[in-house]
Structures are given as structure tokens and as C-alpha cells.
Amino acid sequence: MQTADLNTIETVENWDGMRAAFPTSSATGTAATATVYMTFEPGAELPEHRDSAEEIVVVLEGAVEGSIDGEMGILTEGQLAVIPAMAPHGFRNVGDVPARVLGFFGGSTNVATFTDAHGPDGWRVFVVGGPAPLAAPLPEPALA
């Protein structure tokens, strides 16, 4: 049985005040699904990107503003949203307290392509799952 404890899971800061971990994916042995666990300090955000798999996000605590395929909305504790595969989306904590969000992917390996470059190496493509994590630059912007 594969388990993960979101209360003790180690997350990595990807953007100022935004941390994430991928508790399950093809890298941990799942065949058809993956998860992402994210925490956002007030004002922190996950920039716009596209995922290769459909995703369902559930807000566990706090409030986040989401932009999904050009539509804006605020999700609060206990609410969820469906993100179609390849739809541009991003989230920002709009509350005064940290927010926790859990995402479920409809595939055990996910390729995320960010609209803007990330980090000193200009990485824009991130692969979760598979034999090893991968991040790479992309010479041109992701399709709008």
C-alpha cells in the first residue's frame, strides 16, 4: 500500500512562498495517477503553465485565486476545480493565512510547460514521474 502523510511531507520551494511535493507518480510506482501537494504563503503564486494531464485541485486550507483557461475564480477550503489537460492555469494565495492545495492528475507522469522561464537556467519544461525528475529550457514561449 502506497501512503503519504501531508502533515509531514517534505516540500521544495519553487517560487517565493510557494512550496510543492509530488507524493505519488510513476516515480513512486503508480500506474495511472499522480498527486501534487502545494503550500502558498499569503500572496505567493504558482505561475501560469499547462499540464499534459487533466488535473483536479482541492483547497484544503485557505483561499486561492485560480486562473484556468482564461476564467478567474476564488477557491476556498473544501472547494475543487477541474483543469483540462493543456489548459493554461495558475494560482495565487489571496488570503491572510497560508493555503494548502492538493492536486490529482489523470496520468502517472505529467509534463508541465510554464509560460515564462523559471530559475537561473531558464527552465520551462518540468517532468514529474518517470525514472527521474527532469527540467529543461524551452527556446520559445509556450503556445498561448
Side-chain angles (χ1 to χ4, degrees), residues 23-43:
T24 60
S25 70
S26 59
T28 66
T30 61
T33 59
T35 55
V36 58
Y37 173 65
M38 301 171 281
T39 62
F40 297 81
E41 291 300 319

Side-chain angles (χ1 to χ4, degrees), residues 13 20 27 32-34 36 38 49 72 79 87-89 107 117 121 125 132 137 141:
E13 187 167 53
T33 59
V36 58
M38 301 171 281
H49 64 287
M72 300 290 287
Q79 294 184 315
H89 63 284
D121 295 322
V125 178

Side-chain angles (χ1 to χ4, degrees), residues 5-24:
D5 185 345
L6 300 181
N7 297 304
T8 60
I9 196 165
E10 186 176 331
T11 57
V12 174
E13 187 167 53
N14 294 301
W15 285 270
D16 288 340
M18 185 275 172
R19 301 180 66 83
F22 295 87
T24 60

